[in-house]
Amino acid sequence: MMTTRVVVAGSANMDLVGLAPSLPRPGETVLGDDFVMTPGGKGSNQAIAAALAGGETVFLGAIGSDAFGVTLNARLAAAGVGVDLVRTSYGSSGVAVIMVDRAGENSILVSPGANRTFVGLTDEESAAVAAADVLLCQQEIPMATVLAALKAGRAAGTRTILNAAPARVLPSGLLDEVDLLVVNETEAIAITGGDEPDVKALLALVPRVVLTLSGNGSRYADRDGADVHVPAFRVEVADTTAAGDAFTGALAVAWGEGRDLIDAVRWANAAGAACVRRVGASNALPARADIEALYTQP
């Protein structure tokens, strides 16, 4: 089995997580159960997820000059992610305020901070993308940078994955650079419109789509005619915050290792399921052994 070289271009945030019996409604104060502060951000989480899943991973992004930035950089490095190209921007790092109820549902507010300064790609960053097997992008950084990274990947023959989260207006031509689109139902509707996800409409824009279905698993479809529901693994849920990031990081590794994409999605489902058993973001992401334990269960 080959080692997948993964470059993740995305955000890094400090996650401030409050646990409570229920999520507060507008104007309501809820007495919480606990509080956790942990490094997160979709880009950082997916980079750590890919590294823990066995990928040789490099992170491209920006952190602040504050104490949060020091912690974010250290967490990435401790997980085995390459951080030599991470930019430091004067000012605050990105911060996410997350509320989680006892059923594991969450509500998230993100303040981008230094992530806003991650504009364009340097020659070194472009070279890292060109040397990778898989490039993975999300949408918590400037969309012009997402487009630049995807174009660099496509030009170099690197497989490109876009996790179109959070839902945003996409620049013209961006989806032309995407080999595999990963979206949940809300994000799919944001791209194509309508009242429900339209996979056929997505396939008119990109050659391959993974639609994540929360506790119902995932759906994989491509232009060659595949359209398969891949069931979820049943586990006790503690927190769903980083499940999507665990899934996407593991998917990038599995695809780069040469797995059939339907099998890669099943392996990624195992990663998402292993993640939701723990509270938190980057600290809840599973190691490869944890993924394999679920993936190989009868």
Side-chain angles (χ1 to χ4, degrees):
M1 180 186 66
M2 64 175 287
T3 298
T4 302
R5 295 169 298 174
V6 180
V7 168
V8 180
S11 60
N13 298 321
M14 183 60 73
D15 290 346
L16 311 178
V17 185
L19 310 179
S22 61
L23 299 178
R25 293 168 294 186
E28 179 185 17
T29 299
V30 172
L31 185 63
D33 296 329
D34 202 357
F35 172 78
V36 179
M37 185 172 70
T38 182
K42 281 194 169 297
S44 177
N45 285 348
Q46 291 179 17
I48 292 171
L52 293 177
E56 182 183 318
T57 308
V58 171
F59 179 65
L60 305 181
I63 57 175
S65 57
D66 54 2
F68 285 168
V70 174
T71 303
L72 291 168
N73 200 62
R75 177 68 183 96
L76 285 160
V81 177
V83 295
D84 289 349
L85 298 179
V86 174
R87 305 181 191 182
T88 300
S89 174
Y90 180 77
S92 65
S93 297
V95 174
V97 180
I98 303 171
M99 295 175 288
V100 182
D101 69 16
R102 290 176 182 170
E105 292 301 320
N106 63 72
S107 180
I108 304 173
L109 169 68
V110 176
S111 176
N115 295 301
R116 288 197 183 99
T117 71
F118 182 28
V119 178
L121 293 186
T122 66
D123 290 343
E124 287 183 303
E125 290 166 343
S126 295
V129 171
D133 297 307
V134 180
L135 168 69
L136 175 55
C137 297
Q138 318 78 31
Q139 298 185 167
E140 287 184 339
I141 58 175
M143 292 304 295
T145 306
V146 177
L147 178 57
L150 291 170
K151 282 187 173 180
R154 176 57 63 84
T158 300
R159 292 175 176 178
T160 59
I161 301 176
L162 174 65
N163 176 208
R168 296 177 65 177
V169 175
L170 304 183
S172 176
L174 184 140
L175 291 177
D176 294 339
E177 313 297 336
V178 175
D179 293 318
L180 174 62
L181 178 68
V182 180
V183 286
N184 64 22
E185 294 174 283
T186 300
E187 293 149 4
I189 292 169
I191 292 172
T192 62
D195 298 323
E196 60 184 29
D198 187 339
V199 170
K200 287 185 178 180
L202 291 173
L203 288 175
L205 303 171
V206 295
R208 303 167 192 86
V209 174
V210 174
L211 179 66
T212 58
L213 303 170
S214 189
N216 292 320
S218 306
R219 178 181 174 186
Y220 171 75
D222 62 34
R223 289 177 179 171
D224 293 329
D227 192 344
V228 180
H229 174 247
V230 184
F233 292 82
R234 299 302 173 190
V235 296
E236 185 175 343
V237 177
D239 182 5
T240 62
T241 299
D245 296 332
F247 174 94
T248 309
L251 179 64
V253 172
W255 193 25
E257 288 175 351
R259 295 177 188 253
D260 171 87
L261 262 168
I262 296 172
D263 183 53
V265 170
R266 185 173 186 274
W267 200 72
N269 277 355
C275 178
V276 301
R277 296 183 295 190
R278 299 179 61 187
V279 173
S282 62
N283 60 303
L285 297 168
R288 188 178 183 97
D290 298 322
I291 300 170
E292 286 289 343
L294 275 177
Y295 173 75
T296 59
Q297 72 180 15

